[in-house]
Amino acid sequence: MSDELLRQVQRHGSRPAHIAIIMDGNGRWARGRALPRPFGHKAGMQSVREVVEGALAVEVEVLTLFAFSQENWQRPADEIGALMDLLKEYIAREMAELESQGVRVRFLGDLDRLGPSARASVDQLMAQTSRGSKLALNICISYGSRAELTRATRLLAEEAAAGRLDPADIDEEAISRRLYTADFPDPDLLIRTSGELRLSNFLLWQLAYAELYVTPVLWPDFRRQHLWEAIVEYQRRDRRFGKVTV
Ligand code: FPP
């Protein structure tokens, strides 16, 4: 079944260059097993590994994962602590493998809010994988799309005030270049797990023309086959970007 899905993805001429994922449902997965929420996050780490391998197998170029939002700083301190510990565990455990697979990892978001040890870990993983060229893996932490757009606006205003930028030259490209995602094309496909029909302040600018795919599967149950199913569905869609098909 999964080999057939893989072949189906590969047979099709086009595939999404950039896939973004809102990884949701860890808490419900844990609750369903009468476990504390951090167990759901821990199980979700395995799904991260699955989608990285699934993306490599079908030559997706960019994978952007929403791991921790700005709003998540309002969760109970022990859950935040557990998430930060998991992040460090993920980095320590996966660094060598990610590097050998040719994955280049970047963390996008307000990294200044991270504690010193989490910050050191993310910096180390970014430096260690900086030569990877097979897959760009973006992990959004301490990320909020409105904050990202506010930051871009402030950067533009500062450049204009300093006389380095003519306000008449501010176009969509100028804004895109000041977002955390400046180096990447916009996502072609957004996947959200656990059935919720929301964007949750994720990549609001960048998702303007993305195809949306929502699955009821909870993130800790998400496997590479689920990624390929989403890609097969994407390949059936007719993307028109506001134009008509001729
Ligand atoms: C949403 O589930 C998920 C998160 C807030 C955290 C995502 C983290 C991971 C998948 C694990 C670690 C990831 C990396 C990259 C190391 P939720 O808690 O909002 O679930 P709920 O909606 O069911 O309560």
Side-chain angles (χ1 to χ4, degrees):
M1 174 60 193
S2 87
D3 286 354
E4 176 47 32
L5 263 176
L6 179 58
R7 276 194 293 277
Q8 224 177 316
V9 171
Q10 287 167 336
R11 258 199 312 270
H12 200 281
S14 87
R15 69 198 59 160
H18 183 173
I19 300 178
I21 307 183
I22 301 178
M23 309 184 287
D24 197 11
N26 296 351
R28 275 162 284 167
W29 185 93
R31 199 169 59 233
R33 288 163 178 74
L35 293 167
R37 295 173 58 81
F39 282 79
H41 299 316
K42 193 167 172 73
M45 217 164 65
Q46 180 60 30
S47 307
V48 172
R49 194 188 172 112
E50 281 280 329
V51 290
V52 167
E53 291 180 359
L56 281 164
V58 297
E59 292 167 7
V60 165
E61 288 159 34
V62 188
L63 182 64
T64 299
L65 306 178
F66 200 8
F68 190 85
S69 69
Q70 286 221 321
E71 293 73 25
N72 288 154
W73 288 114
Q74 291 155 32
R75 291 195 178 192
D78 57 347
E79 185 173 343
I80 295 176
L83 274 166
M84 291 299 147
D85 286 348
L86 266 183
L87 181 66
K88 288 185 273 181
E89 187 184 322
Y90 172 79
I91 292 171
R93 202 197 287 174
E94 303 284 326
M95 181 137 59
E97 176 122 19
L98 289 165
E99 189 186 7
S100 72
Q101 289 169 322
V103 179
R104 179 171 187 179
V105 184
R106 292 179 183 82
F107 288 90
L108 312 184
D110 182 6
L111 304 185
D112 290 341
R113 287 188 74 175
L114 297 178
S117 63
R119 180 62 192 259
S121 285
V122 306
D123 285 344
Q124 197 194 352
L125 182 59
M126 287 195 280
Q128 189 85 20
T129 60
S130 63
R131 285 182 306 277
S133 59
K134 289 220 166 66
L135 171 71
L137 172 63
N138 298 322
I139 303 179
C140 297
I141 46 177
S142 192
Y143 174 87
S145 184
R146 287 185 173 183
E148 177 187 36
L149 284 163
T150 305
R151 175 180 170 274
T153 308
R154 195 180 314 112
L155 291 173
L156 289 166
E158 283 167 4
E159 289 169 48
R164 296 195 304 274
L165 176 70
D166 181 346
D169 291 334
I170 298 177
D171 54 11
E172 293 184 10
E173 181 59 30
I175 295 171
S176 293
R177 271 191 277 111
R178 285 158 184 85
L179 300 177
Y180 294 126
T181 49
D183 294 337
F184 310 104
D186 286 342
D188 303 293
L189 172 64
L190 171 73
I191 299 172
R192 181 165 189 150
T193 58
S194 90
E196 305 287 352
L197 302 172
R198 284 190 290 277
L199 286 180
S200 298
N201 200 16
F202 185 50
L203 302 177
L204 300 179
W205 173 276
Q206 298 89 331
L207 291 171
Y209 288 102
E211 294 294 324
L212 309 183
Y213 179 88
V214 176
T215 169
V217 175
L218 302 177
W219 179 250
D221 293 325
F222 199 84
R223 291 292 169 267
R224 67 192 72 191
Q225 292 78 358
H226 297 113
L227 179 77
W228 298 337
E229 274 168 18
I231 298 175
V232 167
E233 163 68 24
Y234 167 90
Q235 290 172 329
R236 287 195 197 108
R237 304 260 180 104
D238 173 23
R239 300 185 81 196
R240 291 190 295 279
F241 301 96
K243 302 172 196 146
V244 290
T245 322
V246 284

